[in-house]
Amino acid sequence: MSALANGTNVREARPSLWFVARVQVNCERRSAQKINALGIETFVPTQTELHQWSDRRKKIERVVLPLLVFFRTDEARAREIERLSFVKSLMRAPGESKIASIPDDQIDRFKFMLGNADSDVTISQRVQKGDKVRIARGKLQGLEGIVTLASENRSQVSIAIDYIGYASITISKSDLELIP
């Protein structure tokens, strides 16, 4: 088999994975632009919020995970990104030296939640174990997660994002169905 059989000059194409860079305060978007300029896909989780002051209202884009920029590349290129001056470090699993990667499906579900949620998406690192559910109707229909908090009428549904924590949203219990 030729070394160019898969379109690269190496025997196996390197898989692209999602990695997380820690950056300086309020520099998430600027850092993502710099990484993107290197030809690497980036993602800064944001959500539009309406802020009310006594004299005006304004829509703002709130960064959901301050200090973090997600980027998609192979591990060798991720190590190059880690050496850039504006990147403090790459996220690693606790007690490990290997760079942590996040599965595509978790990023896809997180993007879906951010783009379609009617309320604020919050991030929590400690989540109580509960029932696995699927959202049955509304803009988030089909999204699966874990019920982390429950009151009489509303539940908090969370999706896991490895090494980060859980993205959570409050939703009516009537919009949920149990997954056996």
Side-chain angles (χ1 to χ4, degrees):
M1 180 174 155
S2 166
L4 294 175
N6 61 10
T8 67
N9 60 1
V10 293
R11 289 193 172 269
E12 293 295 322
R14 294 183 222 164
S16 288
L17 303 167
W18 284 100
F19 298 97
V20 185
R22 288 188 179 99
V23 297
Q24 294 180 350
V25 178
N26 296 324
C27 292
E28 300 88 0
R29 290 182 184 99
R30 197 170 337 136
S31 297
Q33 288 173 345
K34 290 177 181 179
I35 294 170
N36 200 280
L38 299 171
I40 296 173
E41 180 182 0
T42 60
F43 168 54
V44 176
T46 61
Q47 191 171 30
T48 303
E49 294 179 343
L50 184 63
H51 281 235
Q52 174 79 44
W53 289 272
S54 60
D55 61 336
R56 61 192 156 91
R57 300 168 108 187
K58 185 178 181 180
K59 284 186 178 182
I60 64 157
E61 285 288 317
R62 174 181 65 92
V63 175
V64 177
L65 287 166
L67 306 173
L68 302 180
V69 174
F70 294 81
F71 63 96
R72 192 168 196 268
T73 190
D74 59 70
E75 194 167 344
R77 194 104 190 260
R79 291 186 190 287
E80 293 174 19
I81 297 298
E82 188 172 31
R83 290 191 289 270
L84 297 174
S85 63
F86 57 90
V87 173
K88 287 185 172 184
S89 65
L90 295 185
M91 188 164 289
R92 289 173 166 73
E96 292 187 23
S97 61
K98 185 178 191 264
I99 301 170
S101 63
I102 298 175
D104 284 339
D105 67 320
Q106 290 180 10
I107 296 293
D108 292 342
R109 287 187 297 160
F110 187 36
K111 286 179 177 180
F112 180 75
M113 180 185 267
L114 286 169
N116 293 292
D118 290 328
S119 60
D120 290 349
V121 173
T122 59
I123 301 293
S124 60
Q125 293 184 331
R126 293 191 182 111
V127 176
Q128 300 171 16
K129 292 187 178 187
D131 293 333
K132 188 171 183 180
V133 295
R134 180 180 304 113
I135 298 176
R137 58 191 145 273
K139 291 180 183 176
L140 296 173
Q141 182 176 359
L143 183 68
E144 295 180 3
I146 305 286
V147 174
T148 55
L149 296 173
S151 66
E152 190 173 318
N153 297 324
R154 305 202 52 85
S155 293
Q156 183 172 323
V157 176
S158 301
I159 58 169
I161 304 171
D162 288 352
Y163 309 107
I164 301 291
Y166 292 81
S168 303
I169 186 166
T170 303
I171 192 163
S172 172
K173 282 185 175 180
S174 63
D175 290 337
L176 301 176
E177 59 186 24
L178 283 171
I179 298 174

